Amino acid sequence: MAADNQLLNPRLWVETHADYLYGYTLSRLNDEELAKDLVQETFLAALQRADKFEGKSSERTWLTAILKNKIIDVYRKKSSGLKNTDVKQAEEEQQDFFDEDNGHWNKAYQPKPFGIEDHDPLAGKEFNSILQKCMQKLPALWMAVFTMKHIDDATTDIICSELKVTQANFWVIIHRAKLNLRACLQKNWA
């Protein structure tokens, strides 16, 4: 079914959707220039595929779906260039977290309260800023898996399929990403 030209209004996309799409992208990639580029690429791709829009969703939902695919492409590109040294370094940084004998937390690395239970909006912004910086320190594949799972709420099957990882590898990556984020947050959020 071809789209009725009245279902889409590309002349208003920038005014109506650009800020939302930019914020969406920025929260997942934490790169302002790349976010701007991806929003522009999304609009161009949408124009090229306008005849495929069936009106089963809103314009914004359709544009966001196109943008999600572009973000996944970025994740793939970054993770394909992942160096084993990045992964080994991240693994070495967390090797002392647990006692080898019983698997329990070593006292020095036990989770501590973050102090984010107050619902202070300024503290939330500061925490999110630190979280974003900590996420940028993760190996690219780990950041992609963590973001897709915990920010985008993607299913394990979708993440494994999109990023070409096995389910076993997925769970190892999620675990290691969480450990590294916890350590980084505890170090930088006090």
Side-chain angles (χ1 to χ4, degrees):
M1 173 180 192
D4 183 345
N5 289 338
Q6 294 178 8
L7 292 176
L8 294 175
N9 194 348
R11 291 187 177 129
L12 295 178
W13 284 353
V14 172
E15 181 181 329
T16 309
H17 306 296
D19 288 343
Y20 169 80
L21 296 173
Y22 174 76
Y24 182 91
T25 308
L26 193 58
S27 71
R28 282 148 182 83
L29 298 176
N30 198 28
D31 181 328
E32 292 179 10
E33 290 304 313
L34 183 56
K36 290 175 188 175
D37 290 345
L38 289 180
V39 171
Q40 289 178 9
E41 288 177 24
T42 298
F43 290 149
L44 289 173
L47 282 172
Q48 292 170 347
R49 297 182 198 137
D51 61 325
K52 298 198 180 357
F53 181 71
E54 297 178 356
K56 294 180 180 178
S57 64
S58 70
E59 248 184 2
R60 179 169 286 183
T61 302
W62 183 65
L63 290 168
T64 303
I66 294 170
L67 179 60
K68 280 183 182 180
N69 288 324
K70 297 202 169 293
I71 291 170
I72 289 170
D73 289 344
V74 170
Y75 290 158
R76 275 193 208 118
K77 185 178 177 184
K78 285 183 176 184
S79 66
S80 68
L82 183 64
K83 299 176 189 165
N84 284 336
T85 55
D86 292 341
V87 173
K88 287 179 184 172
Q89 179 184 356
E91 288 174 347
E92 287 171 10
E93 289 173 1
Q94 63 182 284
Q95 71 183 4
D96 296 329
F97 285 178
F98 301 101
D99 185 302
E100 284 184 34
D101 298 329
N102 60 22
H104 291 242
W105 284 99
N106 286 327
K107 289 203 185 279
Y109 295 100
Q110 277 183 321
K112 297 174 182 79
F114 288 129
I116 58 171
E117 292 76 20
D118 319 341
H119 294 283
D120 177 8
L122 290 178
K125 284 183 180 179
E126 290 173 19
F127 178 80
N128 285 333
S129 173
I130 292 169
L131 176 61
Q132 286 294 325
K133 288 177 184 168
C134 289
M135 287 176 65
Q136 291 298 314
K137 293 180 182 180
L138 293 174
L141 180 61
W142 293 13
M143 184 176 121
V145 169
F146 183 85
T147 301
M148 289 178 76
K149 180 67 176 173
H150 294 292
I151 295 178
D152 294 338
D153 292 325
T155 66
T156 302
D157 290 338
I158 289 173
I159 296 167
C160 291
S161 170
E162 293 292 340
L163 298 179
K164 313 274 189 270
V165 297
T166 65
Q167 286 209 1
N169 195 12
F170 165 84
W171 290 111
V172 169
I173 290 168
I174 282 291
H175 177 71
R176 290 178 177 165
K178 287 178 180 179
L179 288 176
N180 276 269
L181 288 173
R182 174 181 282 165
C184 181
L185 288 168
Q186 286 181 325
K187 181 179 178 182
N188 296 293
W189 179 258

